[in-house]
Amino acid sequence: MSEARPGAGTGAPTVLRMILGKRLQDLRLSAGVTLDEAAKALRVKPLTIRRLEKAEVSLKILYVELLLQTYGVGRQEIDEFIELAEQANRPGWWHRYRDVLPGWFTAYVSLESGARTLRTYEPHYVTGLLQTHAYARAVLRAGFPNDSDEELERRVDLRLRRQSLLTKPAAPTLWVVMEEAVLHRVVGGPEVMREQIDGLLAAAELDHVSLDIVPFSAGAHTGAFAPFTYFRFEEPELPDIVYTELLSGSVYLDQRSDVVAHLEAHNRMSLLTSTTESKALLNRMRKEYT
């Protein structure tokens, strides 16, 4: 998955599909079965087995059952695995927005929906999970200037729909580091900015949300490059993953060295300010937009 776009051309995998793919790999290795041997059992190429294990394709139930039998798995466990595989093959809630959801971002929404911890750095705009309706509409209008009003509203609806994960039971932990420049970039006008800052102040009061704003006075620092998001999952089968954006796409990283570099950068940036200083800065900027 490192330096790739998961699910490109096949539909992004749900987190459950990624977990089951990893379990298939673990069961194969525990049984001492090679890729070639597993492929022979299905009469397919080894690449097919690899793609199943990497969640790059849907979990064909017939293939899954034959593989589990090859690995010596008991009938009850096979039935339980197949039931989960059927769930994993169902499209995520975001599938209905596929007409306005870029293919390279679909995997992000899946990871975001399944993560236990999200840590994000934003140098340009308020992170999508904390945007108000008016702010999101202004940002998306700038990003997709040729959209019809209907397409634009669907993009806004998708962004706001993603935010529901912060209010669900057992909501994930969200730790946001933003640059002060975000607050000075006037998106949608003073009234929109004032409403957005009110939204940030409210979010900062939530127990599972942390918001750090790096002031201009911090000067140059390690993370001042591109926005990125770090995902951590409860399931031990899934590695930590980092997502970062390019002008026309994105990169997903799961190599340990890459993930650690971004995690350390996030830690260092958070030390450049404090919760109290961040809230004070938000209140000062709110007054400027009054």
Side-chain angles (χ1 to χ4, degrees), residues 3 13 17 43 45 47 68 77-78 92 120 137 143 149 193 202 212 222 231 238 247 252 287:
E3 298 191 15
R17 197 168 96 199
R43 297 184 179 180
K45 296 180 179 179
L47 178 61
L68 294 176
E77 187 176 350
I78 289 176
T120 183
R137 194 179 196 283
D149 288 342
M193 291 300 297
D212 292 324
T222 304
F231 302 97
L238 294 183
L247 181 62
Y252 295 83
K287 292 178 180 178

Side-chain angles (χ1 to χ4, degrees), residues 144 191 228 271:
F144 299 91
E191 185 175 346
F228 66 83
L271 296 175

Side-chain angles (χ1 to χ4, degrees), residues 163-181:
Q163 297 177 3
S164 63
L165 69 87
L166 294 179
T167 56
K168 70 179 184 180
T173 299
L174 174 65
W175 187 354
V176 179
V177 174
M178 294 193 311
E179 296 286 351
E180 181 180 345

Side-chain angles (χ1 to χ4, degrees), residues 10-11 16 31 68 99 108 120 140 147 166 170 183 185 187 198-200 206 228 232 254 256 258 266:
T10 63
L16 179 55
L68 294 176
D99 57 322
Y108 181 99
T120 183
L140 290 167
D147 269 6
L166 294 179
L183 304 179
R185 175 172 278 111
V187 174
D198 284 341
L200 291 174
L206 298 174
F228 66 83
R232 172 165 287 180
D254 64 4
R256 182 64 179 167
D258 295 326
H266 197 276

Side-chain angles (χ1 to χ4, degrees), residues 23-204:
R23 287 183 184 172
L24 278 177
Q25 182 184 47
D26 290 343
L27 287 168
R28 177 176 61 78
L29 294 175
S30 295
V33 177
T34 66
L35 280 173
D36 288 338
E37 290 168 340
K40 185 176 181 180
L42 297 187
R43 297 184 179 180
V44 298
K45 296 180 179 179
L47 178 61
T48 299
I49 306 300
R50 175 62 71 192
R51 295 186 71 192
L52 282 169
E53 294 178 352
K54 292 294 184 181
E56 293 175 355
V57 294
S58 61
L59 295 166
K60 293 184 178 180
I61 302 305
L62 178 60
Y63 283 4
V64 168
E65 184 167 10
L66 288 174
L67 285 175
L68 294 176
Q69 291 173 352
T70 301
Y71 304 156
V73 177
R75 187 67 246 176
Q76 181 176 346
E77 187 176 350
I78 289 176
D79 291 341
E80 292 172 351
F81 198 108
I82 288 175
E83 183 178 350
L84 290 174
E86 290 173 341
Q87 293 178 30
N89 285 334
R90 296 170 192 157
W93 63 262
W94 54 89
H95 182 69
R96 68 175 184 265
Y97 293 98
R98 60 190 180 278
D99 57 322
V100 293
L101 184 60
W104 51 265
F105 194 67
T106 309
Y108 181 99
V109 180
S110 175
L111 295 173
E112 181 181 75
S113 298
R116 187 71 195 95
T117 300
L118 299 99
R119 297 175 64 163
T120 183
Y121 167 64
E122 283 289 349
H124 306 305
Y125 297 102
V126 171
T127 187
L129 288 178
L130 299 182
Q131 290 180 5
T132 63
H133 182 282
Y135 187 97
R137 194 179 196 283
V139 169
L140 290 167
R141 170 56 75 194
F144 299 91
N146 297 320
D147 269 6
S148 66
D149 288 342
E150 181 180 357
E151 289 171 329
L152 179 63
E153 288 307 320
R154 282 183 58 72
R155 292 188 193 278
V156 174
D157 186 50
L158 168 61
R159 182 154 298 184
L160 298 183
R161 172 72 175 79
R162 287 167 48 207
Q163 297 177 3
S164 63
L165 69 87
L166 294 179
T167 56
K168 70 179 184 180
T173 299
L174 174 65
W175 187 354
V176 179
V177 174
M178 294 193 311
E179 296 286 351
E180 181 180 345
V182 172
L183 304 179
H184 289 271
R185 175 172 278 111
V186 183
V187 174
E191 185 175 346
V192 171
M193 291 300 297
R194 186 168 63 251
E195 179 189 42
Q196 178 61 74
I197 290 174
D198 284 341
L200 291 174
L201 286 167

